[in-house]
């Protein structure tokens, strides 16, 4: 069921309890977790934090904790499956689910006892009505005539004769029931067909903190990052992003206004969040402007930087702005202050000429003390890079999780900077991979979708065995492809990408993303399609990721799986 | 955190999860629905402000609008009135109540004292509508608990119904057949009361090749109820009367008729050898064997049961069954997907294996050893148990050469494997079989070879373990075997 009063029905319920916190490994979940941790800390609520990367880990974590805990909070996982069926919990385990995954499983929606959804009901859910999908069995069962004994057992000793009219009515009812069932299947099919995302989990918990009047600037910043994560990883529509940004902006002004008197001046330990209409240049304040332009999806795709012509255009563009190449190529921090002063306007003006009308986007930045300014998207990239870091040979998910979590605290700027370094490397790798895929025509049109397979041995292939990195690569690649292809039909196709996952086990990771377009509804049908294709070919697949559009697959089953997918979607 | 290393096969395992959950989801949904239902139900009652009562279901009466609001009191008034019209109306209302799917008010109607009136209506040959309604109402009351049937009988319904069988109106006669079936089905006492009243010839009044199939179905079922129940069995004279019509029914092709006819035969063969003898002599064995391969599971089950009963009779009965071709159909049934059928087929086989060595030879010739060994290895436990019996019977009655063939077909290995089961009785039967096999080996002078074979197959080890079995008989038997056949190792 949906929790309507999050304070009364969630927070006050867990207030004096020990809580198990199961957190998915995405940045929005991390931010939501930070906010909740801060609240729990504030109210001395004991909790245990368990990062979970997929369904299997969630099941294991639940089994390990179900004896000690009654209350489980699931962040960005659990909503889109029948959780009780998956975990088979005892009757007294209670699950609070704050998850952006849509559609929410109907059993979760209509279970009133154990499943509490921390999801806003006005969040574009379109849940089928109860009566359309569940039906009380009152007249149906037991209505069978006693005449028919069980197949093969002895006939009954006595038989009652039933009213023919009643029998006819029963047949009529059965027919009605069959029709109802067919309709139910149709409704559920429509409902479950597409996967998409709802309001950020971090924003949900920020709202809780606000309702409790315990919201702080840190919490607000995490909520902003959570929302920005949804934008960076392309989970929500542009309209949804802009709407939620507006909501966050109201909170930001409220906070700034509230604190005007006490700390209106910057000080070493202050924190100031501001709304910005800033550049869509990734990490530019922590890089050189030049490198940022080269490695940002928006600019790189617009110029087609993987072509000679694109490189030439970039030079013209820089010249148009009148920025000396020396300045542009040195660290942003060391650029002349005079250049930096109205840089955003200068860039916007030239970009407009070069067809990049959306070079600026509504976002937020934060100042930590005097020196450190970060855009929300910088934080997302840094934390994602830490979360999926493959630095050490045996990179440990829990370690990475903690590091990424740490990078979100302002007390741990060093960690954040190390994340930014990793993020730069990751963006470079993405850029290079995109260029090489396009130049060697690795993107194939398979009819109903585009397909790209990263071969074992491709540089940085290990990096792309991780879901966030591969998703980002996918998004960049599709955008770049749409900019480079002349085939109009191909511009409208979704993309499936496969990359080696585990060479020893012979598996690949497969990601599907919806078609690239400004007005895309970001609804992804690959989850269901993958399930069906796997089923029909009995391919050995592992549907373990919380996003159903990300799966693992045995390398040797790849071609039959794809063939089935083509047939299915054609 | 779970470890990262999970073996490769998890992928396939995970994929398969997709199916089982469907079932469990169903369960969850049901539970969820039930919760909702309870809530909904409460509010429903409150809203309508009604209480649960035995008021007739409006819907059930709706076809006759004049019956809306018609209560039990009204029925009593009408049934007890002098007007035929009112009586018919009351009777029909009562019949409709008794024909509801849920909670027919049998007791209420009996307590209202309506049975005597209903029985009296049965004899009103000029009022067929009333006759019919009364017969139906009484049929349904007789279908209730024994107490209800007793009320019907004690109001004199038996002779009335037997008279009604002769009604020229087929649907009325059929209703009487049905009612008498219910009375016969109550148990041996009423069954014999009916037989005493000469129900059998009366039942056959409308039995002809032109009789509609619906009528014949009811008739077959009623006849089968007259064959049913032991302690005591139906009188032999009655059996002699019942068999000719049954055998005629046996050659029709309606599944329901065949099903009930086969059950009737299975009841009649479930007795002493002289009763089996009567059945076998009618010459229906070939048809019965034929029906064992019927496409309809409901027919196969009673046919197999009857055959199983017959082969448990004398050697002659077994031989006649073999001659009728039973060994050709058994292999298919031994491999049937339904465990209950497998078990019954194996029980039949075990009884054939208990015959003399010529029959055992036929069993071998007809290729029954492979399915027997398969069942020993992979069958359902109940089937395995019967299969073990079959082996023991075989080794007891078979010649030494036949036993060798059995061992070579893999049966020895299979029964040695079964020594691990947790069922003392099965273990004892297996040990007996082993003993029998040693006897056979002794005749061929191959005792030593057999000991070695059993040891190789791990049987000795299992028998040694059995020496510490909690059951004394098992322990004794195992020890005897080991001492007799495995202890001269020291001499070597």
């Amino acid at each position: 069921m949906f929790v309507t009063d999050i304070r009364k029905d969630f927070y006050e319920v867990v207030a004096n309890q020990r809580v198990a916190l199961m957190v998915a490994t995405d940045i929005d979940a991390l931010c939501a977790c930070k906010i909740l941790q801060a609240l729990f800390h504030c109210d001395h609520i004991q909790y245990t934090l368990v990062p979970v990367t997929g369904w299997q880990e969630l099941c294991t974590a639940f089994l390990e904790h179900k004896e000690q805990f009654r209350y489980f909070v699931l962040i960005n996982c659990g909503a889109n499956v029948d959780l009780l069926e998956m975990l088979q919990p005892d009757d007294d385990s209670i699950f609070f689910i704050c998850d952006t995954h849509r559609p929410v499983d109907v059993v979760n929606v209509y279970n009133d006892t154990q499943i509490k959804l921390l999801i806003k009901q006005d969040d574009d859910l379109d849940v089928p009505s109860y009566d359309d999908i569940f039906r009380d069995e009152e007249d149906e069962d037991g209505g069978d005539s006693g005449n028919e004994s069980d197949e093969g057992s002895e006939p009954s000793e006595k038989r009652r004769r039933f009213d023919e009219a009643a029998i006819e009515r029963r047949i009529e009812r059965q027919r009605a029931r069959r029709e109802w069932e067919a309709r139910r299947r149709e409704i559920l099919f429509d409902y479950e067909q597409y996967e998409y995302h709802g309001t950020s989990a971090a924003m949900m918990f920020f709202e809780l903190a606000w309702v409790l009047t315990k919201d702080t600037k840190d919490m607000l910043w995490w909520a902003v990052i959570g929302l920005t994560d949804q934008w960076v990883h392309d989970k929500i529509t542009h309209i949804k992003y802009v709407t939620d940004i507006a909501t966050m902006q109201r909170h930001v002004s409220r906070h700034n206004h509230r604190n005007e008197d006490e700390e209106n001046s910057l000080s070493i330990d202050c924190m100031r969040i501001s709304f910005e209409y800033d550049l869509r240049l990734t990490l530019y304040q922590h890089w050189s402007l030049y490198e940022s332009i080269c490695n940002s999806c928006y600019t790189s795709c617009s110029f087609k930087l993987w072509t000679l012509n694109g490189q030439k255009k970039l030079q013209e563009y820089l010249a148009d702005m009148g920025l000396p190449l020396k300045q542009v190529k040195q660290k942003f921090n060391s650029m002349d202050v005079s250049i930096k002063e109205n840089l955003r306007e200068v860039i916007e003006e030239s970009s407009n000429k070069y067809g990049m009308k959306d070079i600026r986007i509504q976002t937020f930045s934060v100042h930590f003390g005097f020196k450190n300014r970060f855009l929300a998207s910088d934080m997302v990239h840094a934390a994602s890079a830490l979360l999926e870091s493959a630095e050490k040979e045996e990179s440990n998910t829990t370690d990475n999780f903690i590091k990424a979590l740490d990078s979100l605290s302002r007390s741990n700027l060093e960690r954040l900077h190390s994340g930014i370094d990793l993020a730069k490397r990751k963006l470079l790798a993405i850029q290079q991979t995109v260029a090489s895929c396009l130049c060697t025509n690795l993107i194939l049109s398979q009819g109903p979708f585009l397909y790209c397979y990263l071969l074992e041995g491709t540089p940085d292939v290990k990096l792309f065995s991780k879901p966030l990195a591969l998703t980002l690569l996918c998004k960049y690649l599709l955008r770049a492809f749409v900019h480079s292809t002349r085939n109009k039909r191909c511009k409208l196709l979704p993309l499936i990408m496969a990359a080696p996952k585990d060479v020893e086990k012979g598996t690949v990771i497969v990601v599907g993303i919806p078609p690239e377009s400004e007005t895309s509804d970001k609804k992804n049908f690959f989850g269901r399609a993958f399930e069906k294709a796997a089923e029909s070919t009995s391919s050995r697949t592992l549907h373990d990721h919380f996003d159903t559009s990300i799966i693992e697959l045995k390398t040797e089953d790849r071609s039959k799986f794809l063939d089935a997918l083509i047939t299915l979607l054609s | 955190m779970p470890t990262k290393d999970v073996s490769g096969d998890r992928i396939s395992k995970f994929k398969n999860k997709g199916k089982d959950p469907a079932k469990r989801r169903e369960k969850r949904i049901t539970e969820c629905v039930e919760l909702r239902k309870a809530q909904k139900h409460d509010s429903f009652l409150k809203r309508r402000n009604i209480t649960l009562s035995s008021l007739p279901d409006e819907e059930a009466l709706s076809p006759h609008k004049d019956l809306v609001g018609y209560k039990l009191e009204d029925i009593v008034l009408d049934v007890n009135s002098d007007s035929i019209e009112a009586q018919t109306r009351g009777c029909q209302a009562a019949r409709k109540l008794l024909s509801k799917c849920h909670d027919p008010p049998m007791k209420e109607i009996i307590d209202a004292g309506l049975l005597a009136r209903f029985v009296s209506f049965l004899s009103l040959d000029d009022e067929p509508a009333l006759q019919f309604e009364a017969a139906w109402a009484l049929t349904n009351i007789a279908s209730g608990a024994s107490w209800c049937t007793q009320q019907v009988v004690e109001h004199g319904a038996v002779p009335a119904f037997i008279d009604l069988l002769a009604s020229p109106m087929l649907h009325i006669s059929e209703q009487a057949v049905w009612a008498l079936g219910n009375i016969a089905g109550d148990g041996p006492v009423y069954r014999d009361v009916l037989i005493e009243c000469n129900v059998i010839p009366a039942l056959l009044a409308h039995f002809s090749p032109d009789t509609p199939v619906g009528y014949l179905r009811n008739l077959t079922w009623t006849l089968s109820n007259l064959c049913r129940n032991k302690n005591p069995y139906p009188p032999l004279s009655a059996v002699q009367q019942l068999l000719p019509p049954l055998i005629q029914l046996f050659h029709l092709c309606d599944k329901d008729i065949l099903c009930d006819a086969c059950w009737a035969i299975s009841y009649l063969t479930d007795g002493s050898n002289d009763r089996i003898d009567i059945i076998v002599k009618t010459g229906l064995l070939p048809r019965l064997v034929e029906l064992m391969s019927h496409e309809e599971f409901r027919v196969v089950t009673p046919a197999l049961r009857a055959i199983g009963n017959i082969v448990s009779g004398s050697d002659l009965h077994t031989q006649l069954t073999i001659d009728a071709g039973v060994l050709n159909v058994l292999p298919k049934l031994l491999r049937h997907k339904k465990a209950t059928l497998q078990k019954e087929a194996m029980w039949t086989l075990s009884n054939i294996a208990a015959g003399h060595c010529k029959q055992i030879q036929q069993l071998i010739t007809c290729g029954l050893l492979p399915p027997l060994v398969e069942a020993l290895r992979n069958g359902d436990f109940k089937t395995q148990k019967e299969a073990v019996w079959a082996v023991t019977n075989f080794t007891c009655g078979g010649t030494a050469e036949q036993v060798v063939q059995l061992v070579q077909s893999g049966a020895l290995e299979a029964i040695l494997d079964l020594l691990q089961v947790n069922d003392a009785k099965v273990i004892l039967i297996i040990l007996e079989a082993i003993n029998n096999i040693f006897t056979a080996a002794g005749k061929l002078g191959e005792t030593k070879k057999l000991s070695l074979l059993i040891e190789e197959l791990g049987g000795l080890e299992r028998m040694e373990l059995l020496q510490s079995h909690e059951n004394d008989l098992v322990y004794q038997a195992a020890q005897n075997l080991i001492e007799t056949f495995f202890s001269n190792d020291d001499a070597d």
Side-chain angles (χ1 to χ4, degrees):
Chain A
M1 66 178 287
F2 291 106
V3 166
T4 37
D5 186 338
I6 188 172
R7 171 199 190 132
K8 196 168 126 272
D9 295 333
F10 165 59
Y11 201 71
E12 286 173 12
V13 172
V14 300
N16 295 307
Q17 310 284 343
R18 294 178 65 217
V19 184
L21 217 53
M22 318 232 170
V23 185
T25 46
D26 66 72
I27 306 307
D28 179 38
L30 256 59
C31 292
C33 171
K34 288 293 276 187
I35 297 173
L36 204 55
Q37 281 181 298
L39 282 175
F40 283 176
H41 190 73
C42 192
D43 291 311
H44 308 287
I45 299 173
Q46 290 187 49
Y47 66 90
T48 294
L49 174 60
V50 191
V52 286
T53 58
W55 297 115
Q56 285 184 327
E57 286 194 8
L58 179 64
C59 292
T60 320
F62 173 72
L63 286 179
E64 280 169 7
H65 293 88
K66 69 172 182 179
E67 302 300 333
Q68 303 97 295
F69 292 89
R70 213 187 133 202
Y71 295 98
F72 297 84
V73 176
L74 275 59
I75 303 181
N76 276 357
C77 56
N80 55 346
V81 293
D82 182 349
L83 194 68
L84 298 181
E85 171 212 306
M86 171 170 276
L87 299 179
Q88 300 286 320
D90 294 334
D91 288 344
D92 59 348
S93 302
I94 308 285
F95 299 89
F96 294 99
I97 304 176
C98 182
D99 186 2
T100 65
H101 288 96
R102 306 285 180 275
V104 180
D105 190 275
V106 285
V107 179
N108 288 342
V109 172
Y110 290 111
N111 180 298
D112 291 347
T113 48
Q114 291 184 270
I115 301 285
K116 315 282 180 184
L117 296 165
L118 308 180
I119 288 171
K120 278 198 241 171
Q121 264 176 285
D122 53 6
D123 206 5
D124 188 25
L125 288 162
D126 293 326
V127 182
S129 78
Y130 179 83
D131 290 323
D132 280 342
I133 43 173
F134 297 108
R135 177 137 142 169
D136 302 353
E137 302 278 332
E138 286 171 300
D139 321 302
E140 317 292 335
D141 46 38
D144 286 333
S145 70
N147 290 359
E148 295 149 26
S149 52
D150 264 354
E151 284 231 330
S153 62
E154 283 191 37
S156 50
E157 286 161 334
K158 297 178 184 174
R159 301 180 301 159
R160 196 149 61 86
R161 178 165 181 179
F162 294 98
D163 200 335
E164 272 89 0
I167 290 166
E168 270 165 36
R169 273 199 303 279
R170 202 161 54 237
I171 291 166
E172 180 53 38
R173 269 205 299 268
Q174 277 165 4
R175 196 175 56 224
R177 183 175 175 80
R178 273 197 296 276
E179 277 168 19
W180 178 84
E181 274 166 359
R183 204 172 103 82
R184 172 181 195 268
R185 273 193 298 276
E186 212 168 282
I187 290 172
L188 280 182
F189 178 83
D190 287 346
Y191 177 64
E192 292 171 349
Q193 193 178 9
Y194 295 105
E195 181 182 46
Y196 62 102
H197 286 270
T199 306
S200 136
M203 280 180 66
M204 281 302 296
F205 282 130
F206 178 77
E207 199 150 306
L208 169 67
W210 177 50
V211 169
L212 296 167
T213 61
K214 285 174 178 155
D215 53 323
T216 65
K217 269 191 186 168
D218 282 303
M219 293 181 192
L220 180 55
W221 181 232
W222 290 322
V224 166
I225 301 173
L227 168 60
T228 310
D229 170 53
Q230 293 193 304
W231 175 64
V232 169
H233 287 103
D234 216 24
K235 288 181 176 164
I236 50 173
T237 62
H238 187 68
I239 293 176
K240 172 77 176 154
Y241 173 70
V242 174
T243 316
D244 286 351
I245 280 284
T247 311
M248 294 323 292
Q249 196 187 347
R250 284 195 290 280
H251 285 295
V252 168
S253 356
R254 184 169 54 83
H255 268 267
N256 287 343
H257 179 72
R258 192 165 70 187
N259 298 328
E260 243 167 25
D261 309 323
E262 304 143 40
E263 28 175 344
N264 55 349
S265 57
L266 288 175
S267 66
I268 256 316
D269 57 348
C270 89
M271 170 176 190
R272 188 174 175 86
I273 305 171
S274 38
F275 174 79
E276 306 276 358
Y277 194 52
D278 214 319
L279 296 166
R280 265 167 105 167
L281 296 176
T282 316
L283 297 171
Y284 76 93
Q285 297 172 84
H286 310 278
W287 221 339
S288 73
L289 197 55
Y290 183 78
E291 279 167 302
S292 177
I293 291 174
C294 287
N295 294 297
S296 294
C297 179
Y298 186 68
T299 42
S300 151
C301 292
S302 295
F303 288 124
K304 298 184 215 169
L305 284 183
W306 54 90
T307 63
L308 265 177
N309 200 25
Q311 291 289 341
K312 224 169 78 189
K313 259 206 249 165
L314 172 63
Q315 303 304 324
E316 286 171 17
Y317 165 78
L318 291 172
D320 187 83
M321 284 192 284
L323 299 179
L325 215 52
K326 195 179 154 208
Q327 286 287 335
V328 171
K329 283 197 174 171
Q330 74 170 319
K331 270 194 194 162
F332 184 84
N333 276 337
S334 322
M335 262 169 92
D336 277 359
V337 185
S338 60
I339 297 180
K340 280 198 256 185
E341 232 162 44
N342 58 349
L343 182 70
R344 289 190 289 202
E345 285 71 29
V346 170
I347 291 183
E348 187 179 19
E349 209 187 308
S350 296
S351 300
N352 271 338
K353 289 187 209 160
Y354 283 80
M356 296 182 286
K357 292 192 292 295
D358 301 318
I359 189 75
R360 293 175 76 173
I361 180 112
Q362 298 107 303
T363 182
F364 294 91
S365 70
V366 71
H367 273 98
F368 297 134
F370 302 108
K371 194 177 143 198
N372 297 291
R373 178 176 181 268
F374 299 95
L375 283 181
S377 59
D378 297 345
M379 303 286 291
V380 172
H381 282 289
S384 310
L386 286 168
L387 196 57
E388 292 188 340
S389 153
E391 286 269 81
K392 279 176 272 170
E393 202 42 47
E394 274 303 303
S395 61
N396 181 323
T397 355
T398 316
D399 276 0
N400 283 347
F401 184 89
I402 300 296
K403 280 182 193 162
L405 207 57
D406 280 351
S407 73
L408 297 170
S409 311
R410 60 172 142 151
S411 58
N412 216 330
L413 288 181
E414 224 161 280
R415 181 72 75 206
L416 178 58
H417 281 294
S418 76
I420 286 177
D421 288 339
L422 279 178
K424 287 183 200 164
R425 258 182 271 165
K426 176 167 145 187
L427 285 166
L428 276 167
I430 289 179
Q431 208 52 50
Q432 278 157 13
T433 311
V434 167
S436 77
C437 286
L438 286 173
C439 297
T440 54
N441 292 321
L442 275 184
I443 302 154
L444 309 171
S445 170
Q446 296 283 14
F449 54 84
L450 302 168
Y451 174 67
C452 175
Y453 177 51
L454 283 189
L455 290 166
E456 181 59 38
T458 315
D460 303 304
V461 76
K462 198 162 174 211
L463 181 66
F464 301 119
S465 67
K466 299 284 176 24
L468 286 180
L470 187 60
T471 310
L472 207 60
L473 171 63
C474 242
K475 182 192 159 190
Y476 279 30
L477 183 61
L478 182 57
R479 203 186 158 89
F481 178 79
V482 167
H483 273 89
S484 71
T485 186
R486 289 204 184 81
N487 185 329
K488 271 193 185 153
R489 202 182 65 84
C490 285
K491 283 184 202 283
L492 304 173
L493 293 179
L495 171 68
I496 293 179
M497 220 172 157
K501 165 88 187 171
D502 188 321
V503 186
E504 268 170 44
K505 281 190 233 152
T507 55
V508 290
I509 175 173
V510 181
V511 176
I513 61 166
E516 162 79 27
S517 93
E518 289 300 317
T519 53
S520 164
D521 58 6
K522 311 287 181 200
K523 289 192 173 178
N524 193 328
F525 57 75
F526 279 121
R528 296 306 301 278
F530 285 172
E531 271 173 38
K532 288 217 164 128
E535 211 169 287
S536 66
T537 55
S538 37
S539 299
R540 288 157 295 173
T541 53
L542 181 63
H543 303 256
D544 190 46
H545 203 271
F546 298 128
D547 288 321
T548 55
S549 55
I550 304 180
I551 62 164
E552 273 177 52
L553 174 69
K554 277 273 185 196
T555 316
E556 62 246 47
D557 291 350
R558 205 162 40 93
S559 62
K560 70 172 174 185
F561 177 79
L562 270 181
D563 288 344
L565 213 50
I566 293 168
T567 325
L568 196 67
L569 298 175
S570 298
Chain B
M1 288 293 300
T3 49
K4 326 131 226 137
D5 182 56
V6 191
S7 66
D9 63 352
R10 71 170 183 176
I11 283 195
S12 54
K13 198 175 91 203
F14 216 68
K15 178 65 206 112
N16 283 335
K17 270 189 87 181
K19 280 152 204 169
D20 184 31
K23 211 179 281 166
R24 288 191 293 170
R25 169 175 296 205
E26 207 94 301
K27 187 185 123 220
R28 287 281 174 196
I29 291 176
T30 325
E31 281 167 9
C32 177
V33 164
E34 268 162 17
L35 271 175
R36 287 256 156 181
K37 191 158 102 186
Q39 285 174 358
K40 232 180 168 179
H41 206 64
D42 284 349
S43 60
F44 179 72
L45 290 184
K46 274 178 221 140
R47 199 163 61 235
R48 297 267 294 261
N49 197 22
I50 51 166
T51 50
L52 285 170
S53 76
S54 56
L55 277 178
D57 177 8
E58 274 179 19
E59 202 192 5
L61 298 173
S62 58
H64 295 257
K65 295 206 176 75
D66 51 329
L67 291 181
V68 172
Y70 201 83
K71 296 197 188 70
L72 188 59
E73 296 92 271
D74 304 324
I75 293 176
V76 175
L77 276 178
D78 276 344
V79 169
N80 288 320
S81 81
D82 293 329
S83 140
I84 290 288
E85 195 193 330
Q87 288 168 352
T88 312
R89 185 170 64 224
C91 219
Q92 187 184 50
R95 179 269 286 176
K96 280 179 182 287
L97 284 181
L98 291 165
S99 309
K100 288 195 309 176
C101 293
H102 293 286
D103 307 321
M106 295 190 190
K107 186 169 189 309
E108 288 81 350
I109 293 206
I110 294 170
D111 289 347
L114 296 176
L115 293 200
R117 295 290 288 173
F118 289 166
V119 173
S120 71
F121 294 154
L122 292 182
S123 54
L124 301 178
D125 288 339
D126 295 334
E127 300 298 336
L130 183 52
Q131 260 186 333
F132 176 65
E133 295 293 350
W136 186 343
L138 286 169
T139 304
N140 283 4
I141 292 177
S143 78
S146 260
W147 174 80
C148 298
T149 316
Q150 191 188 349
Q151 293 299 312
V152 173
V153 174
E154 284 176 2
H155 280 89
V158 170
F161 272 124
I162 291 179
D163 287 344
L164 204 57
L165 286 171
S167 164
M169 321 277 280
L170 218 51
H171 70 288
I172 295 178
S173 170
E174 184 180 345
Q175 196 59 56
V177 170
W178 190 328
L180 291 165
N182 278 338
I183 296 171
D186 187 64
V189 176
Y190 282 154
R191 178 199 66 200
D192 290 346
V193 166
L194 289 176
I195 291 171
E196 292 276 303
C197 295
N198 261 325
V199 76
I200 300 171
L203 277 171
L204 303 176
H206 285 288
F207 184 40
S208 81
D210 310 326
T211 316
V213 70
Y215 190 101
L216 289 181
R217 283 178 189 160
N218 271 318
L219 178 64
T220 316
W221 173 72
T222 299
L223 292 178
S224 82
N225 267 358
L226 289 168
C227 300
R228 198 163 179 162
N229 289 312
K230 316 187 226 185
N231 306 320
Y233 288 100
L236 283 175
S237 56
V239 174
Q240 296 288 9
Q241 279 181 303
L242 284 164
L243 277 170
L246 277 176
I247 286 167
Q248 287 188 39
L249 291 166
F250 227 67
H251 286 89
L252 300 180
C253 40
D254 182 76
K255 290 174 210 157
D256 293 314
I257 293 175
L258 286 176
C259 171
D260 281 332
C262 284
W263 278 110
I265 299 299
S266 82
Y267 302 144
L268 293 176
T269 49
D270 182 14
S272 55
N273 284 1
D274 50 328
R275 278 180 184 266
I276 294 177
D277 209 45
I278 295 170
I279 312 301
V280 171
K281 286 211 172 106
T282 61
L284 51 58
L285 272 176
R287 175 65 175 158
L288 208 48
V289 170
E290 186 186 336
L291 291 177
M292 284 169 73
S293 325
H294 198 276
E295 54 175 19
E296 184 73 27
F297 176 65
R298 289 185 299 142
V299 177
V300 176
T301 306
L304 174 58
R305 174 77 60 85
I307 290 289
N309 286 340
I310 294 170
V311 294
S312 71
S314 69
D315 274 356
L316 177 64
H317 297 146
T318 309
Q319 192 54 48
L320 289 170
T321 319
I322 294 174
D323 295 345
V326 72
L327 292 176
N328 300 324
V329 295
L330 271 183
K332 203 174 126 202
L333 294 177
L334 289 169
R335 293 173 172 132
H336 200 280
K337 58 183 186 297
K338 296 236 183 201
T340 50
L341 266 187
Q342 270 185 27
K343 189 203 87 182
E344 293 254 337
M346 191 53 85
W347 170 63
T348 305
L349 180 64
S350 78
N351 275 329
I352 298 174
H356 53 69
C357 58
K358 255 167 83 187
Q359 289 169 345
I360 290 178
Q361 191 54 47
Q362 279 179 294
L363 188 153
I364 296 172
T365 315
C366 290
L368 271 295
L369 290 187
L372 170 63
V373 174
E374 271 168 46
L376 283 170
R377 285 189 186 134
N378 311 317
D380 165 79
F381 183 60
K382 282 180 178 160
T383 310
Q384 284 180 323
K385 221 165 155 176
E386 296 297 341
V388 167
W389 270 113
V391 171
T392 307
N393 288 345
F394 185 114
T395 53
C396 178
T399 65
E401 289 74 18
Q402 285 167 345
V403 172
V404 168
Q405 265 186 287
L406 180 72
V407 169
Q408 284 168 347
S409 69
L412 176 61
E413 185 178 1
I415 58 168
L416 290 175
D417 274 344
L418 283 171
L419 279 175
Q420 303 173 91
V421 299
N422 186 18
D423 184 326
K425 194 146 179 235
V426 174
I427 294 177
L428 276 172
I429 308 164
I430 296 174
L431 293 176
E432 195 185 326
I434 297 173
N435 203 27
N436 292 342
I437 297 173
F438 268 114
T439 311
K443 285 180 197 160
L444 300 170
E446 296 195 327
T447 312
K448 186 83 193 167
K449 206 171 144 194
L450 182 61
S451 309
L452 278 172
L453 179 62
I454 290 180
E455 198 174 342
E456 254 172 52
L457 294 172
L460 178 57
E461 203 176 318
R462 295 208 184 96
M463 282 192 269
E464 277 167 348
L465 283 175
L466 290 177
Q467 291 185 97
S468 51
H469 199 277
E470 58 194 6
N471 184 311
D472 274 348
L473 291 171
V474 171
Y475 146 76
Q476 281 288 342
Q479 195 174 34
N480 283 344
L481 274 172
I482 291 171
E483 276 177 4
T484 320
F485 301 109
F486 296 93
S487 54
N488 46 355
D489 270 351
D490 327 358
D492 291 357

